[in-house]
């Protein structure tokens, strides 16, 4: 591994950790000596990386540092291409367009050999039963999740019964055959799942819900036994 690649890898490892991580762990993951690690950290700090900490205590990368060039391995390129192709087939039209645009931006700045790997990737998304029709309100639902605002749904359940629900949406699941809003339902006073193809109408309220999205997502995962992604 070249030194430049090692420095990029070190930045990426630090980005994964929100709290200080010891030099020993960093050196072990990079397969280098502690002495080399300390030199690399000093080098990155001199280049403007906001790395705080010291030997024996651990290191953390503060926000605000952007790497000028985008460098990916061939497998990382394949993962990006495959993910984009999946979103193009399983996401709504706006997400599909965003995936294509993001991949085009990445292709514009990576070296030629990696750009060729992106264009010629042989990892394909297989055919399957078409997902439910593109719901026109999906962008509104995603916006409500990002801004932590309540939604009012007119919903049709499995028995064909219609109801109106005020929900606190905090996640949107994409499956092969359906999309599901994960939310706290005020009517049921608990976590509920709503298929988007059964939502008859949706209205976004100006009112923010009283809990943080990430807190509810963590509680829901623990309750359902779902590992963090």
């Amino acid at each position: 591994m070249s030194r430049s690649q090692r420095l990029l890898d070190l930045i990426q490892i630090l980005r994964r950790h929100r709290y200080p991580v010891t030099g020993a762990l960093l050196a072990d993951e990079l397969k280098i000596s502690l002495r080399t690690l300390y030199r690399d950290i000093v080098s990155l700090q001199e280049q403007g990386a906001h790395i705080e900490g010291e030997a024996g205590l651990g290191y953390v990368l503060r926000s605000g540092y952007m790497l000028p060039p985008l460098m990916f391995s061939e497998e990382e390129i394949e993962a990006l291409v495959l993910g984009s192709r999946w979103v193009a087939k399983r996401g709504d039209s706006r997400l599909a367009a965003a995936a294509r645009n993001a991949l085009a931006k990445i292709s514009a700045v990576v070296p030629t050999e990696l750009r060729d790997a992106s264009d010629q990737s042989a990892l394909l998304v297989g055919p399957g039963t078409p997902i439910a029709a593109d719901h026109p309100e999906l962008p509104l639902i995603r916006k409500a999740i990002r801004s932590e605002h309540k939604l009012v749904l007119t919903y049709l359940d499995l028995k064909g019964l219609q109801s109106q629900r005020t929900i606190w949406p905090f996640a949107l699941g994409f499956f092969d055959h359906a999309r599901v809003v994960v939310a706290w339902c005020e009517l049921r006073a608990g976590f509920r799942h709503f298929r988007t193809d059964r939502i008859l109408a949706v209205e976004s309220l100006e009112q923010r819900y009283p809990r943080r999205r990430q807190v509810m997502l963590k509680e829901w995962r623990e309750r359902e036994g779902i590992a963090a992604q």
Side-chain angles (χ1 to χ4, degrees), residues 44-68:
L44 287 171
Q45 289 171 332
E46 291 174 347
Q47 294 177 42
H50 301 157
I51 300 175
E52 297 180 1
E54 59 184 81
L57 297 178
Y59 298 91
V60 63
L61 178 66
R62 299 303 181 189
S63 60
Y65 180 68
M66 298 294 292
L67 288 173

Side-chain angles (χ1 to χ4, degrees), residues 50-171:
H50 301 157
I51 300 175
E52 297 180 1
E54 59 184 81
L57 297 178
Y59 298 91
V60 63
L61 178 66
R62 299 303 181 189
S63 60
Y65 180 68
M66 298 294 292
L67 288 173
L70 280 177
M71 290 294 295
F72 298 99
S73 68
E74 289 187 358
E75 287 190 340
E76 288 171 339
I77 286 290
E78 288 182 333
L80 289 169
V81 172
L82 181 60
S84 297
R85 289 173 176 172
W86 192 94
V87 171
K89 287 181 175 291
R90 300 292 191 268
D92 59 84
S93 57
R94 290 180 62 174
L95 270 185
R100 290 190 293 268
N101 290 341
L103 196 55
K105 290 178 181 178
I106 292 171
S107 296
V109 296
V110 297
T112 302
E113 61 272 17
L114 291 182
R115 186 180 308 122
D116 292 341
S118 169
D119 296 338
Q120 300 169 13
S121 175
L123 302 185
L124 308 176
V125 177
T129 303
I131 196 169
D134 195 14
H135 197 288
E137 303 298 344
L138 279 173
L140 178 63
I141 294 171
R142 292 202 309 273
K143 182 179 179 181
I145 292 172
R146 290 194 300 268
S147 61
E148 300 181 342
H149 278 71
K150 294 184 179 183
L151 290 175
V152 177
L153 305 182
T154 302
Y155 192 72
L156 195 66
D157 67 15
L158 285 170
K159 298 179 180 179
L161 300 176
Q162 184 174 312
S163 63
Q164 191 171 69
R165 311 286 189 94
T166 298
I167 66 170
W168 309 350
F170 58 86

Side-chain angles (χ1 to χ4, degrees), residues 20 41 48 56 68 118 120 136 191 201 207 214:
I41 287 176
S118 169
Q120 300 169 13
F191 294 121
Q207 182 182 5
Q214 290 299 329

Side-chain angles (χ1 to χ4, degrees), residues 204-220:
S204 180
L205 301 180
E206 293 298 324
Q207 182 182 5
R208 291 177 62 109
Y209 47 74
R211 304 189 65 198
R212 297 310 305 267
R213 169 169 52 93
Q214 290 299 329
V215 173
M216 290 195 294
L217 181 58
K218 182 175 183 294
E219 290 183 4
W220 172 78

